[in-house]
Amino acid sequence: MILLHRYILTHFIRNFVLITATFISIYLLVDFFERIDDFLEKGKSFGMIATFFFFKIPFIVDIMSPVCILLAGVVTLGMLNHSNELIALKAGGIPLRKIVQPIVAAALGCVMLFLLMAQTILPGAVAVTNSIWDREVKGKTTMGIYRNGRYYYRGENGFYSFARPDRQQNVFTSFSYTTWNPAYQVRSLVTAETAVWDQGTWTLRNGQEQEAGSGERFATEVFAERRFTFPEQPDAFFVPPDHAMELSLTALYRETRHSHSDQERSKAWADFYGRISYTFLGLPLLLLGLPLLLLVYRKWGRDLSLAIPASCGMAFVCWGLYTILQTLAKAGYIPPLAAAVSVHLLVSCLGLFLLLREDI
């Protein structure tokens, strides 16, 4: 590694650590004042409060990583420009692409670390914070799990298993409800292709009901449509809204292989591609933010004082467009892969074009 690259890389790492620590501190401070009343009302200990906010840090780092990478690169190049080091380097015959090369390489290294964190640390940390907030503070008990495209719940008197294509609607597919006797032997089993819950009644279609008889015999009755009064209703089947964050990258990929309907499959692929593409979002933002800094300085004679707000505004616009595309992909309107890479390709191409033009 040449001396110049080591010098720029050192500045980038230092700025990245400081910016990340600043965002973590601000986020924790705001989140603390929003949630502390809920913790105190439930009489929770200081240790539990500290545990909650400590395990919140990986989530904060994950959601702020693109902006941290962008600002670390902009500040690094801005400081070189502010001290006239950038002008001296270019006057010495060093092209701009050579100067920004260690910044982009360091950003790529940070992205790899964030992907490793999403695979190993982040799922467990989110599971801890969800458990503390939902169960200990809000009193919501998770009655089941979501695995391999199906929901599994243990109710008051039986066990539910089904797929739910749309969590906003009370329509279930591949539905089954099993009850046991005190000896934990199957007493009844109800299965159906679809189940609909409406106004306190479960309506099952194209299914069958099996009742345990003497010995190991079961009485089976097939029905086209029948109403049941199961003890639970869909509102009781609580799953954390961000339960997908509790899954690693490999677990998200497995979800795509076990999706039953097209809507479930689109959502699973959107979650998988979306998690990876969001982590990589910092790279295209950086490629556009670096020439944006030089353009701002050349036009207004001010670098960081205008470049940082402009970079944040650009990041907000890209994030909004990215979020819209992800929503459309989960609804099945556009392919998940296209939603994941569209913003990246557009911003990267524009950034590379501006960087190459600055190098002429």
Side-chain angles (χ1 to χ4, degrees):
M1 181 184 298
I2 64 176
L3 180 61
L4 173 62
H5 287 180
R6 187 161 60 245
Y7 175 75
I8 296 176
L9 186 61
T10 301
H11 278 274
F12 177 87
I13 294 176
R14 182 182 62 188
N15 293 328
F16 178 79
V17 172
L18 290 176
I19 291 172
T20 303
T22 300
F23 276 119
I24 291 175
S25 302
I26 295 175
Y27 192 107
L28 287 178
L29 186 64
V30 174
D31 204 34
F32 175 81
F33 284 108
E34 286 184 352
R35 299 178 186 264
I36 188 61
D37 289 338
D38 295 297
F39 280 104
L40 295 179
E41 287 178 2
K42 297 294 182 179
K44 301 304 176 182
S45 65
F46 176 78
M48 179 177 292
I49 299 174
T51 300
F52 175 83
F53 287 106
F54 175 78
F55 280 95
K56 197 68 179 289
I57 293 177
F59 174 77
I60 301 172
V61 173
D62 182 75
I63 63 174
M64 299 304 300
S65 59
V67 178
C68 292
I69 291 175
L70 167 65
L71 292 183
V74 169
V75 171
T76 300
L77 189 64
M79 294 301 294
L80 292 176
N81 186 55
H82 185 74
S83 61
N84 296 322
E85 292 174 290
L86 181 61
I87 298 177
L89 291 172
K90 296 178 71 174
I94 301 177
L96 182 62
R97 62 179 181 274
K98 291 288 186 180
I99 300 174
V100 302
Q101 182 179 351
I103 297 177
V104 176
L108 182 60
C110 292
V111 169
M112 295 298 106
L113 289 177
F114 292 141
L115 288 176
L116 180 62
M117 184 184 72
Q119 173 65 25
T120 57
I121 301 175
L122 183 63
V126 173
V128 171
T129 56
N130 283 343
S131 176
I132 293 176
W133 181 253
D134 294 325
R135 184 177 61 188
E136 301 294 339
V137 179
K138 292 300 184 179
K140 299 179 180 179
T141 302
T142 302
M143 299 178 61
I145 58 175
Y146 176 78
R147 291 293 184 272
N148 300 329
R150 293 185 62 83
Y151 294 86
Y152 301 90
Y153 294 98
R154 182 176 180 180
E156 179 182 353
N157 299 321
F159 187 83
Y160 298 83
S161 174
F162 50 81
R164 193 174 187 179
D166 187 355
R167 294 185 62 190
Q168 304 301 320
Q169 299 182 10
N170 296 323
V171 179
F172 310 86
T173 59
S174 302
F175 182 90
S176 70
Y177 178 71
T178 309
T179 61
W180 297 273
N181 59 24
Y184 295 100
Q185 296 175 333
V186 175
R187 181 172 59 191
S188 66
L189 172 63
V190 180
T191 59
E193 288 186 4
T194 59
V196 179
W197 187 87
D198 183 36
Q199 298 181 355
T201 302
W202 288 90
T203 303
L204 275 59
R205 300 185 178 94
N206 299 327
Q208 65 178 14
E209 181 179 11
Q210 295 178 304
E211 292 284 348
S214 59
E216 298 182 356
R217 300 176 63 87
F218 281 82
T220 304
E221 182 179 356
V222 179
F223 58 86
E225 180 175 308
R226 180 177 295 182
R227 289 177 172 80
F228 293 84
T229 56
F230 299 132
E232 282 76 26
Q233 59 186 24
D235 289 342
F237 299 152
F238 173 70
V239 171
D242 56 348
H243 73 280
M245 294 294 294
E246 298 182 10
L247 302 179
S248 63
L249 296 177
T250 54
L252 285 174
Y253 178 75
R254 285 196 296 268
E255 294 295 332
T256 65
R257 316 305 298 178
H258 296 89
S259 301
H260 299 283
S261 64
D262 291 338
Q263 189 171 3
E264 284 184 326
R265 193 173 299 109
S266 296
K267 184 180 183 304
W269 279 114
D271 287 336
F272 175 69
Y273 287 135
R275 178 79 69 84
I276 297 176
S277 64
Y278 185 81
T279 305
F280 274 94
L281 187 59
L283 282 177
L285 292 180
L286 177 65
L287 292 176
L288 183 56
L290 295 179
L292 182 63
L293 165 74
L294 301 178
L295 290 173
V296 169
Y297 178 76
R298 186 165 57 248
K299 186 170 184 179
W300 288 287
R302 303 169 65 184
D303 38 30
L304 292 179
S305 60
L306 287 179
I308 290 180
S311 299
C312 292
M314 179 264 295
F316 179 79
V317 172
C318 293
W319 175 82
L321 181 59
Y322 168 85
T323 303
I324 293 173
L325 292 176
Q326 288 298 307
T327 303
L328 294 175
K330 291 180 181 180
Y333 291 107
I334 58 176
L337 184 58
V341 302
S342 297
V343 175
H344 296 64
L345 292 177
L346 177 63
V347 176
S348 297
C349 291
L350 179 59
L352 289 173
F353 170 76
L354 294 177
L355 276 175
L356 294 175
R357 200 176 72 167
E358 290 289 332
D359 222 359
I360 297 177

